[in-house]
Amino acid sequence: VLVYDPPLFDILPMYVLFLALTPAILRHALEHGWRGLLAASVVAWMLAQAGFARGLYEAFAAWTDFPVPYGATGAFSWMAWQLLWLLGLATGWHMTRRTAPIAIPRALFTAALAVAVCGFVWRHAVGQAPFGADEVLNAWFDKWHLGPARLVSFAALAIVCVGWCGQVRGVFALSETFR
């Protein structure tokens, strides 16, 4: 039945694992706060950028005789993408406790919109690997390991979305209904 293998389907196991961990993370955050979790998440993301995830997996596989090679675990670096997941959890958690819409300063909104538009144009003009064979520079744009430029782009898009929603009356009032 699973003969059809859609592209990027290997993100599903990562999504399921993160979803399964969500209640424990939220419980920990409720008891101890978000600072430690976010700090550990940033450190894990930085280690993933340095290639630590592969070494950690290979050590685990050698220790447990796990038969699956690293390349067969999927294209996405779980150690890197956990940062985006945890930031999303923390942001959602904090937004549910707000009584007023988030006010994005006009200068920040304008800068974020400029970054988002430039990122969109850049992506479609030069592609995902803009620097040819230069792996060091391309790592900044890497989607598999969630490179720094990808995080900046995502942050810009998030700021634009929150800023835009703050301008549309009723969006946050509607969210109050579901509390």
Side-chain angles (χ1 to χ4, degrees):
V1 175
L2 296 175
V3 172
Y4 175 65
D5 187 18
L8 302 178
F9 197 61
D10 53 354
I11 199 169
L12 188 59
M14 181 173 65
Y15 175 79
V16 170
L17 177 69
F18 289 167
L19 188 62
L21 291 173
T22 296
I25 294 296
L26 290 175
R27 189 175 313 111
H28 184 276
L30 185 62
E31 294 172 3
H32 304 288
W34 286 97
R35 283 195 178 123
L37 286 169
L38 290 172
S41 182
V42 168
V43 168
W45 176 81
M46 290 165 68
L47 289 171
Q49 300 309 302
F52 187 74
R54 181 182 195 107
L56 185 64
Y57 180 84
E58 288 173 356
F60 168 79
W63 179 58
T64 61
D65 289 328
F66 195 63
V68 179
Y70 182 74
T73 61
F76 295 92
S77 171
W78 296 29
M79 198 170 182
W81 278 84
Q82 57 74 34
L83 174 63
L84 197 57
W85 164 69
L86 199 66
L87 285 172
L89 277 180
T91 302
W93 188 82
H94 284 291
M95 287 184 72
T96 62
R97 281 146 180 74
R98 294 189 59 83
T99 57
I102 296 173
I104 302 291
R106 184 173 300 277
L108 178 61
F109 179 82
T110 303
L113 185 60
V115 168
V117 168
C118 287
F120 179 81
V121 170
W122 172 275
R123 163 67 178 91
H124 291 285
V126 297
Q128 291 188 42
F131 300 105
D134 189 340
E135 291 184 26
V136 174
L137 287 176
N138 282 332
W140 283 76
F141 298 88
D142 187 40
K143 77 176 168 188
W144 311 116
H145 292 93
L146 198 59
R150 294 276 178 164
L151 282 179
V152 169
S153 177
F154 179 79
L157 289 171
I159 290 167
V160 167
C161 287
V162 170
W164 178 259
C165 287
Q167 300 301 318
V168 178
R169 299 243 177 237
V171 172
F172 286 99
L174 178 64
S175 70
E176 295 291 322
T177 307
F178 296 106
R179 284 197 182 186

